[in-house]
Amino acid sequence: MAWIALAILPGWVLGVALQLQQAALWPMRVYALWLLVSAVLGGLALVCGRRGNGSLAIALALCASALAGVGLTGVRAAHFADQALPPALEGIDIQLTGRVASLPQRNAEGVRFEFAMESAVHEGQAVRLPSLLQLGWYSRGSVGAGPDWHAGDRWRLTVRLRRPHGNSNPHGFDRERWLWENGIGATGYVRNGPRDPRPVFLGASGWHPVESARQAVSERIRQRVDDPRSAGVLAALVVGDQSAIEHSDWAVFRSTGVAHLMSISGLHVTLFAWLATALLGRFWRRVGRVWPRALLALPAPVAAAWGGLALAGAYALFSGWGVPAQRTVLMLAVVVALRLSARQWPWAAVWTLVMAVVLLLDPWALMQPGFWLSFVAVGILFASGSRVEQVDPLDAVPRWRRWGGSALGMLREQATITVALTPLSLLLFGQVSLVGLVANLVAIPWVTLVVTPLALLGVLLAPLWDAAALAVQGLGIWLAWLAEWPWAAVFRAIPPGSLAVAGVLGGVLLVLRLPWAVRLAGVLLLWPVMTWQPLRPAAGEFDVMAIDVGQGGAVLVRTANHSLLYDTGPRYSPDSDAGQRVVVPLLRALGEVPDTVVVSHRDSDHSGGSAAVRAAWPAARWLSSFGEGERCVAGQRWAWDGVDFEVLHPAPALYGPDGQGLRSTNAMSCVLRVSHAKEAAWLSGDLDAEGETRMAMARPELRASLMLSPHHGSASSSSPVLLNTLRPRQVMIQSGYRNRFGHPAPLVLDRYRERQLTWVESPQCGAALWRSEASQTVHCHRQAMRRYWHHFDASAGAKPAAPGDLDTGTDALPPVPVD
């Protein structure tokens, strides 16, 4: 019977994983039927087990738990989907009453927070909304000082909402899944213009006490610590507010491989459990001296174990209850329960049980990189015989030699993790830190034994935060020095999932205590991962990817051996842009190093990411119309791998003696034509209709199979003269979801429709890929990789093209998978 019980655990994990692959949800009654079938199979498994048919019982238990995983996860998903924001309520003023339900996150633009909705009214009529919203208060354009947002406070607000929507790119962050996992049914902003009603404070509600306490501690840290960078790290370690850490610091932490220490990790929770267990044990023994019956009723080891576990759970909850913290608390709970019952389970059973429980609490955690890094790392340490994470809260406080361990033991454990997780890190991030081993040998004990204890004790004695800040600054100097090494971090193209899995197995073989002949076999599995390169266009061919950056432009053009980036995406806020958030991570994930960057014009929706792109690839050649590198001038030509590149605009006469453009920024857009013998692509930035007409009249022989819609589909571009001259078959429109400009304009879409053009829009398509060798097809990343939590509007983007012109199958992907 024990084997039957153990078979349930991997079956449940498998069932959850299968359900998360669904492109669309089934009706709830289907999932309910699966649960019923699961119960029947579970009953049969028990009957077979009692009759001695163990193999059949295990198989039935595995199937039953897998069906239960699919059914229960599907029921939860279908229930949440029923609460979705109706499309008719998008973009209109709604009066809400509710509570601030999260730790407010502040940035240069304003404040963002979760809002638990109590009631909603539109034009005097009650409307149904999702129970949890994510709202933003933007200081730009607001009247007077903004409200003082506090978790648990009740407010009456006027807001505008929209359904969850995010950018969709290969290997990009899935914001829609993140919102779904956190139960957020809609996003929006608080209206704060001069004619809008002011937010009305309705008093403290008493709800969300944990979030309120986290905010209070975070604000105390900011007030006490003068250095904002150190304060951000301390806030992340104490209350789990990772948004407090600056982007530049995150870059250093990732390059040096210590990013896992700057959030509440299993190591932090384990340390807290050790301390709590030791202190409680000592306290309870002293109580026993005064009141002996207390020890008889509850022995000191038992009180210390359960009390330490409870306090560790409280700390994990206070710090945000992330997956590593969940895993550690659950694993400690299993160890405590087994030890108190004088039992011992195999490590694999404990590991699988904790994984199953985490997925029972949050099935969508399976899609988080942190889930895999956490569980794979612990599994490897278990399998390799390490004592790390095999913590017994019943033990007394370890001595200093046990806390730090021997230098050789720490080196071995860190080397084990580094080697085994390298393929997984490549799969998830496309990056490996070569200085990570050296950095962690210093950072792990420093953060674990110095910074974190001081930061936690600072809650009781605030001056200790000053000492913790000094410790963070000292560590920062060390890490910044390591990050400056030219080979500190290596970026590689993200390999296919099957190849990465083989690489992880190779890494595991290398670190397990096996004969060296077997361990060296792991090198054979690791080598393809480290040397893999994605497929490129054949010689003489090229492809064009319109990157999904929202309301802005960024296009990647690839030939057999070269790459060109046309525009760098928009600036989202003073401290965030598409270059650092989308373009640079995507190009690195695809293994691209741009040889040339063309920035069409100065507007921030096209040049906003230039600084991040230049910092990532300083050796690239730059062309622009406003002084960023060389001037782009009509007549410039070059050829790569049998593909011709020609700049068609602006003419030399449009530049003044000082090199500055003589026309508006849009009218100075660099126009680039990429072509070979049969096909051509047209990229024209925000060029206006007048410029289009002049070019078309001057070069009537020009044709283009693919056209990037000028000015995001604005009515001021895509002139009939240009369309009649180029005669494109495919059009890519880069625009933001529900953008305030109304792009693409209905007039422009009518022009495309009249000419029987096929077009795709980035809100519905995501990253759009066109290949010259298959010029009749545009591949949409959003539709090819669709999951049920993704935004999908079946009525949007209707086009007159024949069926099959828009390929949305999985074979439409670039030759690399999506994480």
Side-chain angles (χ1 to χ4, degrees):
M1 297 299 289
W3 284 105
I4 297 177
L6 291 178
I8 294 175
L9 303 178
W12 168 264
V13 175
L14 176 63
V16 171
L18 291 175
Q19 197 279 334
L20 296 182
Q21 304 307 310
Q22 286 191 275
L25 289 172
W26 297 326
M28 189 174 294
R29 62 179 180 275
V30 176
Y31 296 113
L33 179 61
W34 283 55
L35 289 175
L36 179 61
V37 174
S38 170
V40 173
L41 292 179
L44 292 176
L46 291 176
V47 172
C48 292
R50 290 176 178 175
R51 294 182 177 181
N53 196 339
S55 299
L56 180 58
I58 292 174
L60 289 173
L62 188 66
C63 293
S65 58
L67 291 178
V70 173
L72 187 57
T73 306
V75 166
R76 293 173 61 178
H79 175 72
F80 182 73
D82 288 340
Q83 304 175 29
L85 179 71
L89 297 181
E90 288 188 289
I92 62 175
D93 286 353
I94 301 175
Q95 290 72 45
L96 298 183
T97 300
R99 308 178 304 275
V100 177
S102 70
L103 176 69
Q105 298 181 349
R106 304 181 186 278
N107 53 44
E109 288 280 282
V111 184
R112 184 174 59 188
F113 53 88
E114 295 173 12
F115 194 74
M117 203 269 299
E118 297 175 357
S119 62
V121 177
H122 172 62
E123 295 182 348
Q125 299 293 324
V127 294
R128 182 182 64 86
L129 297 180
S131 58
L132 187 63
L133 313 172
Q134 185 186 70
L135 300 178
W137 168 276
Y138 299 105
S139 55
R140 182 176 54 189
S142 63
V143 178
D148 190 12
W149 306 102
H150 283 280
D153 287 353
R154 296 182 70 243
W155 289 87
R156 182 181 299 117
L157 310 173
T158 300
V159 304
R160 286 190 178 179
L161 303 174
R162 69 177 190 176
R163 290 175 289 173
H165 192 284
N167 299 332
S168 179
N169 294 291
H171 314 292
F173 174 65
D174 191 345
R175 182 169 183 264
E176 293 163 50
R177 180 204 52 82
W178 183 88
L179 292 170
W180 178 286
E181 181 182 357
N182 286 273
I184 298 172
T187 63
Y189 62 95
V190 181
R191 299 280 287 170
N192 58 1
R195 298 182 179 179
D196 295 314
R198 297 287 294 170
V200 178
F201 176 63
L202 302 177
S205 68
W207 288 78
H208 315 290
V210 174
E211 300 299 326
S212 180
R214 293 177 66 205
Q215 182 178 358
V217 172
S218 179
E219 291 177 351
R220 286 177 55 201
I221 292 175
R222 294 179 184 276
Q223 294 170 1
R224 178 75 194 188
V225 180
D226 295 331
D227 179 24
R229 299 175 66 180
S230 300
V233 173
L234 296 181
L237 291 175
V238 177
V239 302
D241 185 10
Q242 297 185 31
S243 65
I245 299 179
E246 297 185 3
H247 292 293
S248 58
D249 289 334
W250 275 123
V252 172
F253 298 153
R254 285 192 292 266
S255 296
T256 54
V258 302
H260 63 101
L261 294 174
M262 302 307 159
S263 58
I264 307 302
S265 67
L267 198 58
H268 299 144
V269 177
T270 299
L271 171 66
F272 191 92
W274 274 343
L275 292 173
T277 299
L279 293 176
L280 284 174
R282 183 170 299 179
F283 170 76
W284 198 248
R285 290 185 181 94
R286 290 190 176 183
V287 170
R289 295 174 185 173
V290 179
W291 186 24
R293 291 185 179 181
L295 291 179
L296 295 175
L298 189 63
V302 177
W306 288 117
L309 178 64
L311 290 176
Y315 171 52
L317 185 65
F318 184 78
S319 62
W321 196 239
V323 169
Q326 294 178 38
R327 183 259 305 159
T328 304
V329 170
L330 293 173
M331 197 163 288
L332 290 172
V334 173
V335 171
V336 168
L338 291 176
R339 185 67 177 272
L340 292 178
S341 61
R343 296 178 182 177
Q344 186 173 0
W345 283 6
W347 69 263
V350 176
W351 185 77
T352 310
L353 173 62
V354 173
M355 180 183 292
V357 174
V358 168
L359 294 181
L360 179 64
L361 298 175
D362 180 10
W364 299 277
L366 191 68
M367 308 298 289
Q368 293 184 23
F371 176 90
W372 293 104
L373 290 173
S374 178
F375 276 98
V376 171
V378 172
I380 290 170
L381 291 176
F382 269 137
S384 62
S386 172
R387 290 284 299 174
V388 175
E389 292 287 350
Q390 299 184 40
V391 180
D392 185 357
L394 294 176
D395 292 339
V397 178
R399 297 178 181 180
W400 281 104
R401 62 181 181 83
R402 187 179 176 189
W403 273 54
S406 66
L408 182 62
M410 180 180 290
L411 179 62
R412 181 185 181 279
E413 291 165 359
Q414 189 57 42
T416 297
I417 290 296
T418 300
V419 172
L421 292 188
T422 292
L424 187 58
S425 298
L426 284 176
L427 174 64
L428 297 174
F429 309 115
Q431 175 181 350
V432 174
S433 174
L434 297 185
V435 299
L437 179 59
V438 176
N440 277 284
L441 285 176
V442 174
I444 288 178
W446 188 253
V447 173
T448 304
L449 303 177
V450 179
V451 177
T452 302
L454 288 174
L456 293 175
L457 291 173
V459 177
L460 303 177
L461 190 61
L464 292 179
W465 280 332
D466 298 331
L470 291 175
V472 170
Q473 293 168 14
L475 179 64
I477 294 173
W478 160 252
L479 296 177
W481 178 70
L482 289 177
E484 290 176 356
W485 294 8
W487 42 269
V490 174
F491 297 94
R492 305 288 297 176
I494 293 182
S498 57
L499 200 63
V501 170
V504 172
L505 293 177
V508 171
L509 288 178
L510 278 176
V511 300
L512 292 181
R513 295 179 178 178
L514 298 172
W516 274 106
V518 178
R519 298 172 73 172
L520 290 178
V523 177
L524 300 178
L525 296 174
L526 271 174
W527 185 254
V529 177
M530 305 303 297
T531 60
W532 183 83
Q533 289 292 332
L535 296 176
R536 301 191 64 87
E541 302 290 347
F542 67 99
D543 59 38
V544 178
M545 176 185 287
I547 304 171
D548 185 5
V549 293
Q551 184 64 24
V555 178
L556 174 65
V557 181
R558 303 192 313 159
T559 66
N561 298 294
H562 295 83
S563 300
L564 177 143
L565 180 65
Y566 183 85
D567 285 335
T568 61
R571 176 171 291 279
Y572 300 130
S573 68
D575 58 357
S576 176
D577 60 71
Q580 64 179 354
R581 296 178 67 91
V582 180
V583 177
V584 171
L586 172 60
L587 266 60
R588 283 175 171 168
L590 297 177
E592 297 297 331
V593 177
D595 301 279
T596 299
V597 179
V598 178
V599 184
S600 62
H601 60 297
R602 190 187 300 272
D603 287 358
S604 64
D605 58 335
H606 293 256
S607 64
S610 295
V613 173
R614 185 179 286 277
W617 298 287
R621 176 194 181 195
W622 283 69
L623 293 172
S624 75
S625 61
F626 60 95
E628 185 83 36
E630 304 175 35
R631 288 192 307 180
C632 61
V633 181
Q636 292 172 323
R637 303 181 66 117
W638 67 93
W640 287 340
D641 309 315
V643 179
D644 296 323
F645 293 76
E646 180 182 5
V647 177
L648 301 173
H649 184 83
L654 297 181
Y655 289 100
D658 58 354
Q660 298 299 314
L662 299 178
R663 295 187 177 178
S664 67
T665 57
N666 285 352
M668 292 297 297
S669 292
C670 302
V671 178
L672 181 66
R673 185 174 182 266
V674 186
S675 64
H676 62 33
K678 296 181 180 180
E679 309 292 347
W682 178 277
L683 312 175
S684 59
D686 285 354
L687 189 65
D688 56 19
E690 179 183 353
E692 294 175 350
T693 302
R694 290 180 182 275
M695 261 197 307
M697 298 294 288
R699 299 285 298 274
E701 78 283 0
L702 292 177
R703 298 291 183 271
S705 312
L706 172 73
M707 182 181 76
L708 182 68
S709 183
H711 203 173
H712 319 288
S714 168
S716 64
S717 301
S718 294
S719 61
V721 175
L722 180 70
L723 297 177
N724 293 339
T725 300
L726 296 182
R727 303 174 190 174
R729 296 189 298 270
Q730 309 281 350
V731 181
M732 294 176 173
I733 305 174
Q734 288 188 297
S735 60
Y737 176 65
R738 296 189 60 84
N739 64 86
R740 62 189 178 94
F741 306 101
H743 295 158
L747 174 64
V748 170
L749 296 184
D750 288 340
R751 292 172 184 169
Y752 296 164
R753 193 174 291 109
E754 290 169 359
R755 290 164 178 80
Q756 294 293 302
L757 306 184
T758 299
W759 72 88
V760 295
E761 304 171 36
S762 49
Q764 289 80 40
C765 181
L769 179 65
W770 176 89
R771 296 189 177 99
S772 61
E773 66 267 28
S775 61
Q776 301 297 322
T777 304
V778 174
H779 310 305
C780 286
H781 178 266
R782 174 177 289 276
Q783 298 179 25
M785 299 304 298
R786 181 187 171 196
R787 296 293 183 269
Y788 59 79
W789 55 80
H790 287 151
H791 177 95
F792 180 73
D793 189 351
S795 63
K799 305 164 184 65
D805 283 351
L806 181 61
D807 187 347
T808 61
T810 54
D811 58 342
L813 292 175
V816 285
V818 176
D819 61 295

